[in-house]
Amino acid sequence: MMLNASTAIVRTLPAVASAIANGRAVVALESSVLAQGLPIPANRTAARAMIEAVESRGAVAAITAVVRGVPAAGLTDDELERFLAREGIAKVSARDLGLAIARAADGATTVAAALTLARLAGIDVLATGGIGGVHRAPPFDESADLAELARTPMIVVCSGAKAILDLRATAERLDTLGVAVLGFRTAELPAFYGAESGIPVQRVDDEQTIVSIFRAQRALGQRSALLVVQPPPAPFALPGSVVERAVVEGVRESTRAGVQGSAMTPFLLAHVDRATAGRAREVNLALLEQNAALAASIAMALARTESS
Ligand code: PSU
Ligand code: MN
């Protein structure tokens, strides 16, 4: 039997494997947002809402993670429960994948690591809340999400980079790395908790155009991801001034507390959530669901064009 090495290294569940084999729509989801980014029980609400948003549009959802050392695209119910309980689940970025596998650890994958696993499994579309980027305070920690986006040809749907970051510096890095950013029905890079950043992006108005651009990039042999951004649902959006105050305060506290590395993003997200009395969590849930839904429609459009 011919064994495809890349599908063999990443374990897929039967539903995911058969969808991939038959060219049907699949959406990869990352798991760090569930195990580190959101508190209990909001993380469960998020997981349910994202899976439902994907499935109700006719696509198959595949949560990526390292499960007791096994890189996976698609979790069983029991596995998902373990990740939602958060305890003993490491945050795994691209550089940590090998370590998590060798140690047979449970690892929740960031966008960077999720891209690696999803790509190997043969999935073209991934949804998340907000990608990582360039942090605001010295040493200006930069998420490995950016480097992986630069070398993974997939469509990634998000609400821009998280507003805890320096959005201008992040946009510049994406530019330098050659990552195309498309605003879905917007000409402005969203600011995660709200619609406005003042940073322009190319606007597209339908899924088919996104698919055409993705196919053109692929035909050119370009290796970078296509980043599709949309603002959070308007009723949940937070005023920029409220977010800004909470972030500035959070950054100051993180410096005082000596927070570093992979702990930084979860620390800042939790701070903004507290400072906004949970409103940040509400918008985070709403945008995760909306991004999963858009990712599913794009994956459906992609599957239609590939089969024709
Ligand atoms: N989107 C959210 N919440 C999150 C994340 C994304 O709404 O917590 C996670 C993703 O896994 C992303 C990670 O890859 O935050 C970035 O972490 P870091 O800055 O440490 O690379
Ligand atoms: Mn970092």
Side-chain angles (χ1 to χ4, degrees):
M1 192 180 78
M2 278 285 289
L3 203 69
N4 180 332
S6 51
T7 48
I9 180 81
V10 176
R11 186 205 74 183
T12 48
L13 295 183
V16 177
S18 102
I20 294 168
N22 295 298
R24 291 202 310 274
V26 181
V27 174
L29 304 171
E30 47 108 353
S31 49
S32 180
V33 61
L34 303 176
Q36 284 92 30
L38 285 168
I40 296 168
N43 61 350
R44 177 182 306 277
T45 312
R48 282 217 189 102
M50 292 180 86
I51 292 168
E52 168 62 19
V54 170
E55 289 179 349
S56 68
R57 279 158 189 85
V60 174
I63 300 180
T64 60
V66 177
V67 182
R68 296 197 173 124
V70 178
L75 300 182
T76 66
D77 292 342
D78 285 353
E79 289 165 355
L80 178 57
E81 285 307 315
R82 207 162 74 235
F83 277 70
L84 291 173
R86 296 181 44 140
E87 220 175 281
I89 311 289
K91 177 174 169 181
V92 169
S93 186
R95 60 147 200 224
D96 310 309
L97 279 168
L99 192 79
I101 292 166
R103 288 195 174 149
D106 271 335
T109 44
T110 65
V111 168
L115 284 171
T116 304
L117 300 189
R119 188 68 217 133
L120 280 169
I123 302 171
D124 291 320
V125 185
L126 176 135
T128 186
I131 58 165
V134 183
H135 279 274
R136 295 184 180 207
F140 306 109
D141 170 319
E142 180 177 323
S143 174
D145 289 359
L146 299 183
E148 291 305 316
L149 285 165
R151 56 177 170 230
T152 315
M154 283 182 63
I155 298 173
V156 176
V157 182
C158 64
S159 301
K162 290 181 284 279
I164 55 170
L165 302 163
D166 181 333
L167 294 187
R168 268 185 198 280
T170 302
E172 287 302 336
R173 285 294 291 150
L174 287 167
D175 217 25
T176 305
L177 292 166
V179 177
V181 183
L182 302 176
F184 186 73
R185 298 178 183 160
T186 178
E188 187 172 359
L189 184 75
F192 190 69
Y193 297 116
E196 288 144 36
S197 69
I199 301 165
V201 292
Q202 286 291 333
R203 174 180 174 134
V204 292
D205 288 288
D206 60 278
E207 291 86 346
Q208 201 46 58
T209 306
I210 295 167
V211 168
S212 301
I213 296 168
F214 182 59
R215 290 169 70 87
Q217 292 193 342
R218 204 153 57 179
L220 292 167
Q222 292 187 319
R223 303 294 303 161
S224 51
L226 187 56
L227 198 63
V228 177
V229 300
Q230 66 177 345
F236 293 92
L238 298 180
S241 56
V242 171
V243 173
E244 204 44 38
R245 205 175 313 127
V247 171
V248 168
E249 198 180 84
V251 170
R252 205 182 303 128
E253 249 179 59
S254 72
T255 306
R256 202 181 305 139
V259 180
Q260 278 175 4
S262 62
M264 183 62 88
T265 292
F267 178 93
L268 292 175
L269 289 174
H271 181 90
V272 173
D273 194 50
R274 273 195 309 277
T276 58
R279 287 173 71 199
R281 190 183 324 169
E282 294 305 317
V283 61
N284 202 344
L285 290 176
L287 65 84
L288 281 165
E289 179 174 8
Q290 187 183 241
N291 293 343
L294 177 56
S297 331
I298 295 170
M300 292 296 286
L302 189 62
R304 275 196 300 277
T305 56
E306 312 243 289
S307 65
S308 62

